[in-house]
Amino acid sequence: MESKIVFGKVETTSLLIIVMTTQLFISFPRFVAEKAGTAGWILIVYLTVLSLFLFTIISKMYKNFQGKDIIDIGEYVGGNIGRILIGLIIIIDYMFIAPGVLREFSDSLKIITLDKTPIGFVMLFFLIGMITAAFYGIEPITRFSAIIVPIVAAAFILIIIGIIPNFNLTNLFPLMGSGVNNIFIKGIPNVSIFSGISILFILPPFLNSYDCFRKTGFYSILLSGFFLTVGALIYTLSIPYPASTEFTMPMYTLARTIDWGRFFTRIESIFVFVWAASAFIYLSILLFFIVYVFKKTFRLEYYTPLILPVSVLVFAFALIPESMMRVFQLESQIFRAYAWIVTFGMPIILLMAALLIKKKKGAVPNEKNS
């Protein structure tokens, strides 16, 4: 049934933007401040260029395998073992992300508005939305992403306008922050902030052409890089380093500083609405692709029976960290340090192997004919 669903550039780009920029509403600004100091925005510009370069390499090789996703290519290279291995790597990767994100959003919501509510109940609030969306499938999730992205962008612009009076240009100095080495050498693994692009490598069966695949990748990385850069820049302009490394919810903290007089108070309420909507979509996307990849990896007929068991696992894993700060540490020390291997390294190696096999198979008839 999924193979009959086809998305265009707008829907797919919106989906990927949600996946890559939702991190802006939780710990991301703090993370880049810790890694690059006052030059967090420069680090993101550098990582955006690096991501575009890596995606260019991948997209050029993907041209030879139009309509095939990364799991199909794994099967082409290694047969059933290749398919299962690639599928399990993706499932494990997403199963590491989903519980952490669920816990971060739930802890954040608990701190903001539900301070007396048990964390498990807050997580159920998100989990029910995830399960419902996953049952409906990828099409409604993707279509809704195209609707919510302009709303999120408008709310983001509203926040920027509101905090302009708090800007202090001296916060940008020293310009290179923690140093050139930390940004351009040690900062390379942080290209994992664009790990959401890995979903695009599962989407080729849903796209109408290779051109859609290529342009969607470029647009989503560029736009996501723009929003992440602006987010880090306004955070640095508003809060000086090293104080910028201390806030658990940086963008919410900025939204609370907006003051437009007695008739426009509590502007952060708009932020909470937009933040919650983005969280629902992001988590729904993760849950859907976990069960979808599992179905395709093990050649099951349906994915819907997997939704509830996987949701229970995500819920259970999300309860393991003892605090929100522990989730931040795991995300910084493990996920952001190694996710680039799955996102960029694995597709490049796999596609190179597939091209070699394809070239070898194509050369055999010529040898026989000669």
Side-chain angles (χ1 to χ4, degrees):
M1 180 179 68
E2 290 85 9
S3 61
K4 296 180 181 178
I5 301 171
V6 178
F7 302 120
K9 297 183 186 70
V10 174
E11 294 94 339
T12 312
T13 302
S14 299
L15 182 81
L16 295 172
I17 288 174
I18 285 288
V19 171
M20 288 189 281
T21 60
T22 302
Q23 59 188 317
L24 186 60
F25 297 120
I26 37 181
S27 61
F28 178 77
R30 170 188 172 142
F31 169 78
V32 294
E34 290 175 346
K35 294 298 180 182
T38 55
W41 65 278
I42 295 177
L43 174 63
I44 301 171
V45 171
Y46 169 61
L47 295 176
T48 302
V49 173
L50 186 58
S51 296
L52 287 170
F53 172 73
L54 293 171
F55 179 74
T56 299
I57 295 173
I58 294 171
S59 64
K60 284 184 180 298
M61 291 190 287
Y62 237 116
K63 190 174 184 178
N64 297 277
F65 303 95
Q66 296 185 39
K68 292 185 180 294
D69 61 30
I70 196 72
I71 302 170
D72 296 325
I73 296 171
E75 184 172 19
Y76 181 79
V77 172
N80 289 333
I81 295 175
R83 185 190 72 248
I84 293 172
L85 179 62
I86 297 302
L88 285 176
I89 290 172
I90 295 170
I91 291 168
I92 292 170
D93 184 44
Y94 290 177
M95 280 298 293
F96 186 88
I97 300 170
V101 173
L102 175 61
R103 182 61 183 268
E104 281 187 279
F105 278 122
S106 300
D107 271 323
S108 298
L109 187 61
K110 176 178 169 63
I111 293 170
I112 295 171
T113 58
L114 303 171
D115 57 304
K116 296 182 180 180
T117 307
I119 187 61
F121 183 83
V122 180
M123 289 199 306
L124 281 175
F125 171 70
F126 284 108
L127 204 64
I128 291 170
M130 292 165 57
I131 293 170
T132 303
F135 267 109
Y136 276 104
I138 186 61
E139 186 170 14
I141 295 173
T142 305
R143 307 294 185 203
F144 189 66
S145 297
I147 296 173
I148 201 68
V149 164
I151 299 174
V152 173
F156 184 59
I157 292 170
L158 184 66
I159 292 174
I160 294 174
I161 294 172
I163 63 175
I164 285 176
N166 300 331
F167 286 177
N168 185 347
L169 290 176
T170 61
N171 291 349
L172 295 177
F173 298 95
L175 193 61
M176 297 310 296
S178 58
V180 173
N181 185 57
N182 281 340
I183 296 173
F184 297 106
I185 305 299
K186 292 183 179 180
I188 290 176
N190 295 317
V191 76
S192 296
I193 65 174
F194 291 99
S195 62
I197 198 67
S198 64
I199 286 178
L200 181 60
F201 307 143
I202 308 172
L203 285 174
F206 298 95
L207 305 179
N208 52 26
S209 66
Y210 165 75
D211 185 63
C212 181
F213 171 86
R214 183 178 61 84
K215 289 184 177 179
T216 295
F218 278 110
Y219 293 156
S220 58
I221 292 174
L222 279 172
L223 290 172
S224 298
F226 170 76
F227 285 119
L228 293 175
T229 302
V230 172
L233 182 60
I234 64 172
Y235 183 60
T236 303
L237 285 168
S238 303
I239 301 176
Y241 180 84
S244 55
T245 64
E246 299 175 0
F247 294 97
T248 56
M249 293 177 290
M251 297 307 293
Y252 177 73
T253 301
L254 293 184
R256 291 195 64 180
T257 64
I258 298 175
D259 183 9
W260 286 345
R262 60 186 299 182
F263 295 106
F264 295 97
T265 59
R266 302 302 299 252
I267 302 298
E268 69 270 16
S269 301
I270 298 175
F271 169 84
V272 174
F273 168 76
V274 172
W275 169 85
S278 300
F280 271 124
I281 298 174
Y282 183 27
L283 290 167
S284 300
I285 292 168
L286 287 176
L287 178 59
F288 173 82
F289 279 104
I290 290 171
V291 296
Y292 172 77
V293 170
F294 194 98
K295 165 190 170 291
K296 185 157 188 176
T297 299
F298 296 100
R299 290 183 172 173
L300 304 178
E301 189 173 354
Y302 303 105
Y303 69 84
T304 49
L306 300 169
I307 294 175
L308 288 178
V310 171
S311 299
V312 171
L313 287 175
V314 170
F315 180 80
F317 292 156
L319 288 172
I320 293 176
E322 58 272 18
S323 66
M324 189 177 183
M325 291 306 300
R326 181 56 181 160
V327 177
F328 289 161
Q329 290 173 0
L330 290 172
E331 186 179 68
S332 176
Q333 297 171 5
I334 300 177
F335 174 71
R336 295 195 192 277
Y338 300 106
W340 65 271
I341 298 173
V342 176
T343 304
F344 297 107
M346 183 181 73
I348 289 174
I349 294 171
L350 195 60
L351 284 164
M352 287 175 66
L355 286 172
L356 287 173
I357 292 171
K358 189 172 185 179
K359 185 178 180 180
K360 186 177 180 180
K361 286 181 177 180
V364 172
N366 293 330
E367 291 174 5
K368 289 182 178 180
N369 292 334
S370 61

